[in-house]
Amino acid sequence: MANTNVVKGKNVIVEMNIAAVYYPVFCCKTMEFVQSQEIIEITSINSGFSREYEAGMSTATLSVTGITVLDNTSGQVSITYLIQEAIRRQVQTMRITLTSDAANSLQITFDALITSNTLSRERG
């Protein structure tokens, strides 16, 4: 029996909220969402021989690569939109949608600052 809870890479969409509507961030070929949890050492004289920790601040990064469009008129967010200073310097609402083979969806919504953009090409 096939597992219908599987999410394939082609069923992951990264979107950005623009004027209360979510638009795909260009044509993403790859996406990586990494969440990191800082730990704070709280070892004391009563800790014995083991160090003790508690949760500190957390952070996350989202990296995407793919084919861009010239502007946002095709219903996708272009890199030329993302590199504008007015966009980069404002907090943006982003959403990652995961859809399983059985068409069940889960969304991760978060606020983001755009910290870098890269425009490159592959020889093809």
Side-chain angles (χ1 to χ4, degrees), residues 16 18 25-26 68-72 77-90 92 113-120:
M16 182 174 174
I18 301 173
V25 176
F26 41 91
T68 194
V69 290
L70 290 177
D71 55 37
N72 292 359
V77 178
S78 72
I79 195 165
T80 56
Y81 179 79
L82 297 174
I83 63 176
Q84 296 176 77
E85 186 174 351
I87 302 304
R88 284 184 292 117
R89 296 184 59 83
Q90 297 293 320
Q92 303 296 328
L113 285 172
I114 298 170
T115 59
S116 67
N117 288 300
T118 303
L119 183 59
S120 65

Side-chain angles (χ1 to χ4, degrees), residues 43-110:
T43 306
S44 70
I45 196 164
N46 298 323
S47 298
F49 294 109
S50 298
R51 295 186 185 274
E52 295 181 298
Y53 300 91
E54 68 179 26
M57 303 295 286
S58 64
T59 188
T61 58
L62 172 67
S63 301
V64 296
T65 63
I67 300 167
T68 194
V69 290
L70 290 177
D71 55 37
N72 292 359
T73 58
S74 67
Q76 295 176 341
V77 178
S78 72
I79 195 165
T80 56
Y81 179 79
L82 297 174
I83 63 176
Q84 296 176 77
E85 186 174 351
I87 302 304
R88 284 184 292 117
R89 296 184 59 83
Q90 297 293 320
V91 174
Q92 303 296 328
T93 302
M94 307 289 286
R95 178 172 75 184
I96 300 171
T97 302
L98 309 164
T99 305
S100 72
D101 284 349
N104 297 315
S105 290
L106 175 77
Q107 296 177 331
I108 303 168
T109 304
F110 54 95

Side-chain angles (χ1 to χ4, degrees), residues 13-31:
I13 299 172
V14 178
E15 299 168 299
M16 182 174 174
N17 187 320
I18 301 173
V21 177
Y22 282 95
Y23 294 97
V25 176
F26 41 91
C27 181
C28 288
K29 290 176 65 179
T30 66
M31 182 274 300

Side-chain angles (χ1 to χ4, degrees), residues 1-8 100-102:
M1 186 167 136
N3 186 349
T4 58
N5 199 29
V6 173
V7 177
K8 296 177 181 158
S100 72
D101 284 349

